[in-house]
Amino acid sequence: MPDKKSINPCDLVCEIDKIKKRLMGWERAVVENEANFQAIIENAPVMINSFDETGRCLLWNRKSEDMLGWSREELMDCKDPLSLFYPSCQSRDKVFENIKNPDGIFRVYEVMAKDGTQRIQEWANFKLPNGMLISFGIDITEKKEVEENLRKNEARFRAFTEAIPDILFVFDIDGQYVEIFTSSEDLLYDELEKLKGLKIQDVIPDEVAAQHLEVIRKTIETQEKQIFEYQLDVKKGKCWFESRTSPIKGLQDGELLVASSVRDITRRKLAEKEIREKEKLAVVIETAGAVCHELNQPLHIITGCCELLEQETEVSENVRRKIEIILREVNRMAKLNHNLLNITSYKTKSYMEARIIDIQQASGKIL
C-alpha cells in the first residue's frame, strides 16, 4: 500500500477495484466449490444425509431417495422424519442417539422404506469441523439376501450329503483335497480333517492315486463326466468304489476344480462275482453230467469183463494181477465220476499255466 501521505485518489480507486475483483473471485470459487460439493453429495454412490440435533432433515441425496423412496422435499416438510424410517420409538431413539454422538462406526439397521418394505442398511455418523452432523449409509439388503440364500443352500447341501451314502470330493487339477462331504467317515482312507489340503498321491496307494489323477486331468481337459471303479482298503475294510467325476464350471480366475461323487459298490461287486460263479458252476455241472453219463456205460462194461475174466480157471496169476489193477482204477474212475455228479461250487486250481476245476474242493469229496 502507498504511504498515507502520498495517497493518490486514482491509485486508491485502482487498489479498491483489485480488492473487489479478488473478493468476487473468492466468492465465485466458494460458489463453485459449494456447487461441486453438492454435485458430489447428490451423485455419490452411497446414501448421504444429515439431521440436526432436533431431528430435522438438512441433507438428503439422490441415492437415499432411490433406496428409501422418500424425496428431500417430503422429509424437509416432515416434523419427525426419522419416524418414517423407524416406526418403533425404541429403535428411533437409539438411532437418534447414535446420530448425536457420532463415532464413525458402521452399524446395521432395519430401515422402513416408503413402500413399506424393510431394508437392511449400514450407517456411520460423523461430525464435520463446522459442527454439522452427517451420515453415510450403504444398503446391504441384497447382500444379506444372498448370504441368507447361501446359508440355506449350504444347510440343504449338508443335509443332502448327510442323507446319502455317497462321498463327495472336490479336487484341484493337482489332486489336492479341496472339500470333502460325507456322513460315512469309515469309507475314508483317513480322518476327514487330516485329508483336507493334502494331495491324493500323498495319501492313498500309488496305483489308485495315479488312476485318480489321470481321471481328474481327463475330466478337466474334456469337460465331460468320467466314471471309473477302484478298490481301496479303508477304515471299514477292503471296499470297491465307483467314482463319477464332473468339472465344476463357472469358477472365477480360471480356477480348475473337479467334483467326484464316490459310492461304495462292494456289495454289488460281491453279488456280480457270485452271479459269475453261479453261471460258471451251471456250465461245469452240465458238462460234468454229460461226461458222467458217457463214462458210466464203458466203466460198467469194463468192470463186467474183468469180473468174467477172473472166473476163468485158466487165467494166469500175472493176468489176474493186471485184472485187479484194471478193476482198482475203474473203481477210482467211478468215484471220480460220482464226485463230478456232486459238484456244488466253482473251485479251481493251478495246472501248468492254466486253471482247471478242482473236483475234490468243488464237490467236497476226497478221492
Side-chain angles (χ1 to χ4, degrees):
M1 290 286 293
D3 190 277
K4 291 183 180 181
K5 295 181 180 179
S6 60
I7 292 177
N8 188 310
C10 292
D11 293 338
L12 183 58
V13 170
C14 290
E15 196 66 30
I16 292 173
D17 286 340
K18 290 179 182 179
I19 293 173
K20 286 182 178 180
K21 288 178 181 179
R22 284 199 295 271
L23 288 174
M24 290 176 64
W26 292 339
E27 288 177 359
R28 282 196 300 270
V30 170
V31 171
E32 289 176 0
N33 287 338
E34 185 176 353
N36 291 336
F37 177 74
Q38 289 294 337
I40 292 172
I41 294 293
E42 188 65 17
N43 297 290
V46 296
M47 296 177 289
I48 304 176
N49 58 47
S50 177
F51 294 85
D52 64 15
E53 293 185 352
T54 66
R56 189 167 61 91
C57 182
L58 304 176
L59 178 64
W60 186 258
N61 75 339
R62 187 178 300 157
K63 189 67 174 180
S64 300
E65 183 175 343
D66 292 342
M67 288 290 100
L68 295 172
W70 301 96
S71 68
R72 181 188 297 107
E73 291 73 19
E74 288 174 314
L75 295 178
M76 296 291 184
D77 293 338
C78 184
K79 293 182 179 179
D80 187 10
L82 287 176
S83 64
L84 302 175
F85 314 120
Y86 306 101
S88 166
C89 292
Q90 186 177 359
S91 298
R92 186 163 63 250
D93 292 343
K94 183 178 180 181
V95 170
F96 193 37
E97 188 65 26
N98 290 335
I99 290 174
K100 291 189 296 182
N101 299 280
D103 56 10
I105 297 174
F106 276 93
R107 295 180 174 86
V108 178
Y109 301 93
E110 290 188 3
V111 186
M112 178 77 75
K114 188 176 181 179
D115 61 5
T117 59
Q118 286 282 351
R119 308 294 297 182
I120 302 175
Q121 299 178 342
E122 289 184 341
W123 285 93
N125 305 298
F126 301 87
K127 190 171 187 176
L128 300 181
N130 64 357
M132 181 179 180
L133 302 173
I134 191 167
S135 303
F136 294 85
I138 304 171
D139 193 281
I140 58 171
T141 307
E142 285 74 19
K143 176 186 174 185
K144 285 293 183 181
E145 289 175 354
V146 170
E147 289 176 351
E148 180 63 17
N149 288 333
L150 286 174
R151 187 191 65 76
K152 289 180 179 179
N153 288 338
E154 184 178 355
R156 283 194 290 266
F157 178 73
R158 290 196 175 276
F160 175 75
T161 56
E162 290 175 2
I164 62 174
D166 295 13
I167 309 170
L168 180 61
F169 295 105
V170 177
F171 295 108
D172 66 10
I173 192 171
D174 296 320
Q176 184 181 42
Y177 292 98
V178 178
E179 290 287 352
I180 304 172
F181 303 96
T182 183
S183 60
S184 306
E185 290 200 31
D186 58 342
L187 294 176
L188 295 176
Y189 193 77
D190 203 343
E191 294 179 17
L192 189 149
E193 293 302 325
K194 289 183 179 180
L195 291 175
K196 281 187 179 180
L198 298 178
K199 291 184 177 180
I200 195 167
Q201 57 268 37
D202 298 330
V203 178
I204 64 177
D206 293 343
E207 184 178 350
V208 183
Q211 189 180 10
H212 275 78
L213 288 172
E214 181 182 352
V215 171
I216 288 171
R217 285 162 188 161
K218 187 175 181 181
T219 303
I220 291 174
E221 288 172 4
T222 63
Q223 289 293 292
E224 294 178 353
K225 180 175 66 176
Q226 306 292 326
I227 302 175
F228 71 103
E229 296 177 358
Y230 63 95
Q231 191 177 30
L232 192 62
D233 195 357
V234 295
K235 288 185 281 186
K236 184 179 179 180
K238 188 169 287 187
C239 297
W240 274 97
F241 297 96
E242 179 188 76
S243 174
R244 295 172 177 262
T245 62
S246 180
I248 300 178
K249 301 179 180 180
L251 299 174
Q252 297 180 349
D253 302 325
E255 191 175 14
L256 301 173
L257 297 178
V258 167
S260 175
S261 177
V262 175
R263 176 165 294 183
D264 180 7
I265 59 169
T266 306
R267 288 186 179 179
R268 191 188 83 189
K269 280 289 188 179
L270 293 175
E272 290 174 353
K273 182 181 179 183
E274 185 177 351
I275 290 171
R276 288 194 301 270
E277 289 184 351
K278 285 182 178 179
E279 290 173 348
K280 291 177 182 178
L281 178 61
V283 173
V284 169
I285 291 174
E286 288 178 6
T287 304
V291 170
C292 290
H293 176 73
E294 295 298 328
L295 286 178
N296 272 334
Q297 189 172 358
L299 288 175
H300 286 308
I301 293 172
I302 294 170
T303 302
C305 291
C306 288
E307 289 175 350
L308 288 173
L309 286 172
E310 280 185 321
Q311 294 174 7
E312 294 289 335
T313 57
E314 297 179 358
V315 177
S316 66
E317 287 300 319
N318 185 41
V319 172
R320 287 185 183 279
R321 283 195 300 273
K322 291 180 179 179
I323 290 172
E324 289 175 359
I325 292 172
I326 293 172
L327 287 173
R328 187 171 63 249
E329 293 304 317
V330 166
N331 287 333
R332 183 169 176 269
M333 290 181 67
K335 290 180 180 179
L336 180 62
N337 224 24
H338 178 73
N339 287 346
L340 283 172
L341 288 173
N342 285 279
I343 287 177
T344 57
S345 61
Y346 183 79
K347 302 290 185 181
T348 63
K349 62 181 179 180
S350 298
Y351 180 74
M352 300 181 68
E353 295 183 359
R355 296 195 69 80
I356 61 173
I357 297 295
D358 188 334
I359 297 174
Q360 293 184 36
Q361 293 294 328
S363 64
K365 304 291 183 180
I366 304 298
L367 289 177

